[in-house]
């Protein structure tokens, strides 16, 4: 809830919050072919994919999940785009000039058009970024723009839009001033919160994004959103006005809504789908061993964490000992071996092992430590005025998906058998689930976060005070201050140490229960070329090809 307020997964838990991604999420690479619009219809190159539910949002500034992000990565394009290996490369920006002190970025835009033929201008970026920061628009991901001078003040009501240091110098020049040097800023500008919006269209029709596929839904990416039928399908077609259209191989992307992973598997085996994996649909757990034995299962480490979040404003979950007991009593190794089966890594900290400086496990607690978990439970029950574990009833929530259900059932059984706690499971459709998390209508909730960019701060900042994706209600002044100090630290080793100190504070108070670190899992038809996820779990359909 990538992630995610989730993804949240889902499970990019960019949440990431990750939408339906459970334990294996995967992606794409490139090719080149003429558009079918200019040739014989039989030459049309198309790919058939599926997602588990409607994307919760079609607006770059309002999206928070991997499902929405996967669609918009094809329909929109930022100043930079991630290449198949996950490295930023110039996209809408033809040239990027950075000042010696690392604080001023000057972008020269290439000659590019929106799909309706309008030129992509610096005003489109300034408009989009300031719209995301406008507190009236309630963008959960607005904090991703706080690296820009004046952005946080405007978003929190203490400044104005004029104070935000992003300026359209002229039609093709955008100047941005940062609060602190940010080595990963080129990665950030590839993220969907930083996408431009056609300012002329948006100003004339503020509700443009509510009718995806309509005449006012205008993108600047390699594909156009041709049509959308809720709970049914999305069709993307090659955007002939895209600046790099000659290097886009696919003509059509057909995306069916398939809630059941088992149904999606049947469709794949019947040749109705060409690919299973993140950030689209997940692979049915029952088929993983078969694909592994066949040698067709693609597995790679992913910068993502599957976890449960505790609502610390709940009468039960506000007790730290109860949260500690539940965290320690999860058998992560058994879960991975017997349920997820995707070669995930047990998580005993928040930050994935793929992040620089965090390659060694944090080991802030011992997984499946039932003795210590029972001791914490006893202490928590006494503090709550309860005498027996059976007095405790806990609700465990997750978004509808067979994989998430399997994990929840495994955790439920462990908490029940080892701690004697009554655990009730509750699931709901993805968008409904996200809204419930936002409203604090959960005791324990599934949460997946997939990295939006390759730095540990992307995971830690979720739980800062007033973080837009913090669904725990937990706050800690020292934690927030450490992250603020790390943002200003220019010595990389010192910055990493500050982030590690912050992670230690987070894990010592147990507002979350990390479960495992994601892997990218995917399978695809032989004809699908260059479709493998990058380390952040992104799929760039721009680079995918079909060879019959």
């Amino acid at each position: 809830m990538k992630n995610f307020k989730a993804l949240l997964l889902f499970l990019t838990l960019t949440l990431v919050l990750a939408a339906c991604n459970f334990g294996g999420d995967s992606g794409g690479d490139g090719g080149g072919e003429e558009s079918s619009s200019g040739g014989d219809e039989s030459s049309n190159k198309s790919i058939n994919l599926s997602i588990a539910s409607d994307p919760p949002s079609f607006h770059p500034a309002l999206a928070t999940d991997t499902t929405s992000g996967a669609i918009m990565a094809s329909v929109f394009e930022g100043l930079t785009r991630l290449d198949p290996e996950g490295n930023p490369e110039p996209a809408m920006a033809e040239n990027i000039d950075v000042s010696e002190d690392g604080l001023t970025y000057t972008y020269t835009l290439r000659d590019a058009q929106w799909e309706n033929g309008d030129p992509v201008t610096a005003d489109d970026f300034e408009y989009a970024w300031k719209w995301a920061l406008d507190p009236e628009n309630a963008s959960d991901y607005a904090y991703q723009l706080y690296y820009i001078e004046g952005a946080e003040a405007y978003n929190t009501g203490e400044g104005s839009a004029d104070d935000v240091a992003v300026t359209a110098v002229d039609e093709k020049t955008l100047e941005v001033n940062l609060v602190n040097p940010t080595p990963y800023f080129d990665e950030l500008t590839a993220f969907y919160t930083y996408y431009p919006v056609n300012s002329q269209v948006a100003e004339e029709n503020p509700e443009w994004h509510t009718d995806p596929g309509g005449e006012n839904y205008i993108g600047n990416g390699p594909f156009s959103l041709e049509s959308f039928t809720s709970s049914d399908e999305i069709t993307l077609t090659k955007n002939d006005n895209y600046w790099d259209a000659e290097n886009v191989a696919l003509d059509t992307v057909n995306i069916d809504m398939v809630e059941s992973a088992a149904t999606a598997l049947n469709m794949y085996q019947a040749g109705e789908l060409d690919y299973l994996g993140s950030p689209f649909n997940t692979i049915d757990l029952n088929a993983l061993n078969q694909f592994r034995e066949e040698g067709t299962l693609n597995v790679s480490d992913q910068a993502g964490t599957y976890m449960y979040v505790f609502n610390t404003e709940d009468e039960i979950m506000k007790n730290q000992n109860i949260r500690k007991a539940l965290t320690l009593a999860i058998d992560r190794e058994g879960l991975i071996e017997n349920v997820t089966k995707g070669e995930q890594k047990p998580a005993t900290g928040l930050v994935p092992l793929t992040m620089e400086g965090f390659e060694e496990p944090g080991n802030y607690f011992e997984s499946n430590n039932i003795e210590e978990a029972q001791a914490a439970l006893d202490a928590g029950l006494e503090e709550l005025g309860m005498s027996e574990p059976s007095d405790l009833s806990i609700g465990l929530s997750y978004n509808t998906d067979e994989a998430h259900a399997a994990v929840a059932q495994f955790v439920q059984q462990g908490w029940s058998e080892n701690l004697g706690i009554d655990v009730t499971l509750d699931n709901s459709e993805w968008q409904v689930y996200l809204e419930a998390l936002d409203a604090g209508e959960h005791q324990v909730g599934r949460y997946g976060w997939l990295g939006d960019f390759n730095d540990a701060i992307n995971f830690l900042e979720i739980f800062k005070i007033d973080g837009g994706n913090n669904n725990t209600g937990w706050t800690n002044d020292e934690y927030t201050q450490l992250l603020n100090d790390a943002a200003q630290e220019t010595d990389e080793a010192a910055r990493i140490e500050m982030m590690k100190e912050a992670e230690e504070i987070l894990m010592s108070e147990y507002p979350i229960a990390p479960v495992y670190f994601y892997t990218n899992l995917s399978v695809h038809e032989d004809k699908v070329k260059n479709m493998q996820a990058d380390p952040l779990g992104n799929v760039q359909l721009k680079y995918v090809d079909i060879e019959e």
Side-chain angles (χ1 to χ4, degrees):
M1 62 201 63
K2 208 139 169 203
N3 165 60
F4 158 178
K5 281 191 252 168
L7 25 254
L8 301 140
L9 291 225
F10 96 160
L11 350 143
T12 172
L13 149 230
T14 160
L15 151 257
V16 227
L17 286 172
C20 63
N21 297 343
F22 152 73
D25 312 296
S26 200
D29 290 27
E33 175 84 3
E34 274 188 10
S35 168
S36 61
S37 60
D40 182 61
E41 196 171 308
S42 63
S43 66
N44 184 291
K45 290 191 174 186
S46 65
I47 189 169
N48 299 316
L49 309 173
S50 70
I51 54 178
S53 64
D54 288 355
S57 177
F58 287 89
H59 194 305
L62 298 179
T64 60
D65 67 292
T66 54
T67 303
S68 302
I71 303 301
M72 285 185 292
S74 293
V75 178
F76 291 89
E77 183 165 272
L79 294 165
T80 56
R81 172 181 285 276
L82 300 183
D83 68 16
E85 285 71 46
N87 301 309
E89 60 182 8
M92 285 295 104
E94 189 171 42
N95 183 67
I96 304 172
D97 182 70
V98 185
S99 62
E100 192 172 332
D101 62 6
L103 295 177
T104 302
Y105 283 66
T106 303
Y107 299 93
T108 302
L109 303 189
R110 68 175 72 251
D111 291 330
Q113 295 179 324
W114 293 94
E115 63 183 83
N116 67 349
D118 291 344
V120 177
T121 68
D123 282 324
D124 295 329
F125 284 92
E126 180 176 354
Y127 173 87
W129 296 4
K130 289 183 176 180
W131 192 95
L133 288 166
D134 186 341
E136 292 294 321
N137 295 322
S139 169
D140 284 339
Y141 253 144
Y143 69 85
Q144 290 284 35
L145 295 156
Y146 284 6
Y147 300 92
I148 301 169
E149 185 179 316
E152 183 173 9
Y154 176 40
N155 186 240
T156 56
E158 298 177 0
S160 70
D162 292 337
D163 298 326
V164 181
V166 51
T167 306
V169 177
D170 56 41
E171 189 173 90
K172 292 297 183 184
T173 308
L174 185 73
E175 185 175 278
V176 182
N177 293 318
L178 305 185
V179 178
N180 301 294
T182 307
Y184 46 85
F185 195 67
D186 283 344
E187 290 184 60
L188 277 168
T189 53
F191 187 61
Y192 50 76
T193 312
Y194 282 80
Y195 288 167
V197 164
N198 188 313
S199 55
Q200 183 176 339
V201 170
E203 287 173 341
E204 292 175 358
N205 186 350
E207 299 302 312
W208 63 272
H209 60 282
T210 62
D211 184 23
E215 63 177 355
N216 291 311
Y217 195 84
I218 305 298
N220 69 320
F223 298 92
S224 300
L225 204 163
E226 183 72 18
S227 64
F228 165 65
T229 304
S230 181
S231 301
D232 186 10
E233 65 181 358
I234 295 173
T235 302
L236 307 180
T237 57
K238 183 175 178 178
N239 175 12
D240 291 328
N241 279 335
Y242 177 58
W243 70 272
D244 198 28
E246 65 179 16
N247 289 313
V248 177
L250 296 175
D251 295 295
T252 309
V253 180
N254 303 304
I255 306 173
D256 288 332
M257 313 290 184
V258 184
E259 182 175 304
S260 166
T263 301
L265 173 65
N266 290 336
M267 293 174 67
Y268 176 78
Q269 293 174 327
E272 297 170 20
L273 294 176
D274 300 315
Y275 172 91
L276 290 178
S278 77
F280 302 102
N281 227 334
T282 53
I283 303 174
D284 188 285
L285 299 180
N286 296 318
L288 286 178
N289 285 339
Q290 173 192 334
F291 288 134
R292 186 179 285 110
E293 291 169 2
E294 292 174 353
T296 58
L297 181 66
N298 302 303
V299 184
S300 62
D301 288 334
Q302 182 176 6
T305 306
Y306 193 107
M307 68 189 94
Y308 286 110
V309 292
F310 300 116
N311 181 0
T312 63
E313 296 176 344
D314 174 79
E315 284 301 310
I316 302 298
M317 290 302 112
K318 70 181 181 181
N319 185 280
Q320 182 173 311
N321 274 309
I322 297 296
R323 302 196 302 267
K324 178 179 179 180
L326 296 175
T327 300
L328 270 57
I330 298 175
D331 180 4
R332 292 157 178 81
E333 293 77 5
L335 173 70
I336 293 168
E337 181 178 352
N338 299 300
V339 179
T340 67
K341 303 176 183 178
E343 302 178 36
Q344 298 88 356
K345 305 293 191 303
T348 52
L350 169 63
V351 181
L353 308 181
T354 57
M355 294 295 172
E356 183 177 355
F358 289 79
E359 294 85 357
E360 296 298 322
N363 294 328
Y364 296 107
F365 57 86
E366 183 182 349
S367 180
N368 200 30
N369 187 337
I370 304 305
E371 183 177 350
E372 189 173 347
Q374 289 175 334
L377 176 63
D378 291 342
L381 290 172
E382 184 176 351
E383 291 162 355
L384 292 171
M386 298 179 179
S387 56
E388 298 293 335
S390 57
D391 295 336
L392 199 58
S393 180
I394 291 175
L396 176 60
S397 305
Y398 58 94
N399 55 295
T400 305
D401 179 83
E402 288 104 324
H404 298 323
V407 175
Q409 290 161 8
F410 181 91
V411 172
Q412 175 194 42
Q413 182 178 355
W415 285 349
S416 176
E417 292 180 356
N418 295 315
L419 299 179
I421 296 173
D422 178 34
V423 182
T424 301
L425 301 184
D426 173 67
N427 75 94
S428 54
E429 183 272 328
W430 180 229
Q431 188 159 356
V432 174
Y433 179 70
L434 286 181
E435 291 170 356
L437 277 182
D438 279 344
E441 298 171 357
H442 65 288
Q443 283 187 296
V444 185
R446 187 204 76 80
Y447 197 95
W449 191 265
L450 304 181
D452 302 323
F453 53 92
N454 192 26
D455 194 274
I457 193 69
N458 184 214
F459 287 80
L460 295 165
E461 67 185 353
I462 306 169
F463 303 104
K464 285 176 65 174
I465 291 174
D466 297 328
N469 290 306
N470 183 358
N471 298 118
T472 67
W474 175 85
T475 61
N476 182 290
D477 290 336
E478 184 181 359
Y479 178 86
T480 295
Q481 188 60 52
L482 275 167
L483 296 184
N484 290 340
D485 291 344
Q488 300 177 48
E489 180 56 62
T490 57
D491 182 283
E492 185 62 12
R495 189 177 78 92
I496 289 174
E497 284 307 311
M498 289 177 181
M499 292 192 289
K500 286 184 174 181
E501 287 181 43
E503 184 180 34
E504 185 172 4
I505 290 172
L506 175 76
M507 295 315 309
S508 69
E509 297 192 11
Y510 298 97
I512 64 172
V515 180
Y516 59 76
F517 298 127
Y518 282 106
T519 49
N520 290 309
L521 301 180
S522 68
V523 292
H524 58 75
E525 292 289 327
D526 290 341
K527 66 182 179 179
V528 178
K529 306 301 179 182
N530 307 320
M531 194 163 183
Q532 176 61 39
D534 68 25
L536 296 176
N538 297 307
V539 170
Q540 300 288 346
L541 291 176
K542 169 181 177 175
Y543 303 112
V544 176
D545 199 356
I546 297 291
E547 295 181 3
E548 296 291 354

